[in-house]
Every structure is written in C-alpha cells, then in structure tokens.
Amino acid sequence: MDNDLINNQYNTKKSKYLAKLEYLHSEYFTIKKCIDESLPEFNKNLILICKDSNNSNNNSDDKLCKENTVEYKVKIPKQNDLNLDLDLDLNNDEPDETSKIITKLYYKLSKYIHPDKTNDSIKSAYFSLCKQSKESKILYKLLLIAKKFDIDFNVTDKEYSILDEEIIMLNNNINEIQLNFVYQWLNESQPEKKQLILLNYILKKNL
C-alpha cells in the first residue's frame, strides 16, 4: 500500500478520535456549567414550593425549606475545565502499560510546556493540567494538549484501546449528569412539569 495513503488513513483516524473526545469533553462541561449556573434559581424555586406546602400544612417539616444548598442526585466532580476525574478500569494483561504510555507522552509534552522550558505563559499554565492528567492516568487530555500546541505524537493500537475506554467513560458521565434534577428542571419548559421535578426531588431527598 502507498505510504501516503497509509499516512492519510492514520491521520484521519487520529483526527476523528480527537474530534470525538473534544466534543464529549465539551459536552460534559457545558452541561455541568449549566447546572452550576442554574442551581441558585433551582434552590429558590425549591424553597418556594416548600413554603407553599407548609402554608397548606402547618404540621409539615420545614427543614428542607431552610437549606441554602441542594445535593445533586448525581455526584458531579467539582473541577475546572479539562479536569474530569475518570475512574477507568482497564482490564488487560499489562496493568502498568497504560501508565507507561501516559508517562511517556507526559515527558514529551514537558519538553515543550514545562515552565523551565518555555517563556510562553499559556503553555506553562497547561503544564499543571498535564501533570494532573498523568496522575489521574487520563490519556485523552494529554493528547488534546499535544494537539493544541501542535506537538507531534503517534497513536498506536494500544493508545486507541485506551481512548476507547475513555470515550465510554465520558459517555457514561454525560448520561449520568443528564439525570441531574437541576438539569432536568432547567430543560423543562412546562411550569407544571417543572414543579413536578421539584416535588420529585423533595421526595427523593426525604427517602
């Protein structure tokens, strides 16, 4: 097979993987941002519905109404952008192989973005993220950093296998966060159904 054709196929596959990971990553944190920004309004409406309920039943417990914060149905990592904590369970015969791959890429990136290696403040700022990604054993974030700064890197079948696992984990995180009461409430347009979501939250909390 022609070498140019092989290279084109390789670059196309790599680009598709990175584009998918960028999209999933952005999707997760977009939803999380919506939830964070909507939480105060959700709390406000939650308190109002509790007060209405108490006015109709003086014997009801008003403890929930006095709360200033609301627990999520789904636990959402309180982390900044590009810092999603994935708990990957890679079932392979070489448990240290993933760490070796990530460490190798980490040191390659360090040559370009470590504060001792560059005067570029943006690159230096990404180094801490690079370090966190290594410690968390998250490959895709290192690859996205490499892409951002046009740092050449190869992706082998082993890397693609790891990325497949991370894609699954990102999809799972997105599916879970979409079950969040605040997010469901935010995306509901009918007042009756919005109120029902609030009531369901109260019932869930009090179980």
Side-chain angles (χ1 to χ4, degrees):
M1 186 179 292
D2 185 83
N3 286 335
D4 289 339
L5 179 58
I6 294 175
N7 289 334
N8 287 336
Q9 291 177 339
Y10 168 80
N11 290 328
T12 298
K13 181 177 181 179
K14 182 169 71 172
S15 296
K16 286 183 177 180
Y17 262 77
L18 291 180
K20 184 171 187 176
L21 285 159
E22 280 184 307
Y23 170 78
L24 292 174
H25 178 87
S26 176
E27 177 77 0
Y28 177 86
F29 281 100
T30 297
I31 296 173
K32 182 185 181 303
K33 182 179 180 182
C34 288
I35 291 174
D36 290 341
E37 292 177 347
S38 303
L39 182 57
E41 189 66 22
F42 180 86
N43 282 334
K44 185 186 298 183
N45 282 270
L46 187 62
I47 292 173
L48 287 175
I49 199 172
C50 287
K51 287 183 177 179
D52 289 340
S53 176
N54 285 336
N55 288 335
S56 63
N57 184 1
N58 293 327
N59 294 325
S60 62
D61 184 8
D62 65 353
K63 179 181 179 181
L64 179 62
C65 300
K66 297 178 181 179
E67 293 184 352
N68 294 320
T69 60
V70 177
E71 292 181 4
Y72 291 128
K73 176 184 177 184
V74 179
K75 185 178 180 181
I76 302 173
K78 294 183 178 181
Q79 298 157 327
N80 294 324
D81 192 26
L82 277 173
N83 192 26
L84 180 59
D85 186 15
L86 300 180
D87 183 17
L88 295 180
D89 183 15
L90 301 178
N91 296 318
N92 52 50
D93 296 330
E94 298 177 300
D96 293 330
E97 188 65 21
T98 298
S99 296
K100 290 179 181 178
I101 290 172
I102 290 174
T103 300
K104 182 178 179 180
L105 181 56
Y106 164 78
Y107 282 117
K108 182 172 185 177
L109 294 176
S110 297
K111 295 178 181 178
Y112 296 90
I113 67 175
H114 192 284
D116 293 339
K117 301 292 184 179
T118 179
N119 293 323
D120 188 323
S121 59
I122 296 179
K123 288 183 178 180
S124 297
Y126 270 84
F127 176 72
S128 59
L129 171 61
C130 188
K131 186 176 180 180
Q132 291 170 9
S133 300
K134 172 181 174 292
E135 294 172 350
S136 300
K137 296 183 180 180
I138 306 300
L139 176 62
Y140 86 86
K141 291 187 283 186
L142 292 172
L143 294 178
L144 293 182
I145 294 172
K147 178 187 175 184
K148 178 178 179 63
F149 296 112
D150 295 321
I151 300 172
D152 186 40
F153 58 91
N154 293 322
V155 181
T156 67
D157 289 342
K158 179 59 182 178
E159 275 94 356
Y160 282 124
S161 177
I162 297 172
L163 293 177
D164 284 336
E165 294 283 355
E166 294 183 350
I167 286 172
I168 292 173
M169 183 58 63
L170 279 167
N171 275 313
N172 288 340
N173 274 272
I174 290 171
N175 290 335
E176 287 183 358
I177 200 172
Q178 287 177 334
L179 296 175
N180 185 281
F181 278 104
V182 181
Y183 187 70
Q184 292 179 12
W185 177 83
L186 174 65
N187 286 277
E188 179 55 62
S189 58
Q190 298 183 27
E192 296 83 2
K193 290 185 177 180
K194 290 179 80 74
Q195 185 177 38
L196 182 59
I197 292 172
L198 292 169
L199 290 171
N200 286 337
Y201 175 83
I202 295 171
L203 291 173
K204 178 74 176 180
K205 186 178 179 68
N206 287 339
L207 286 177

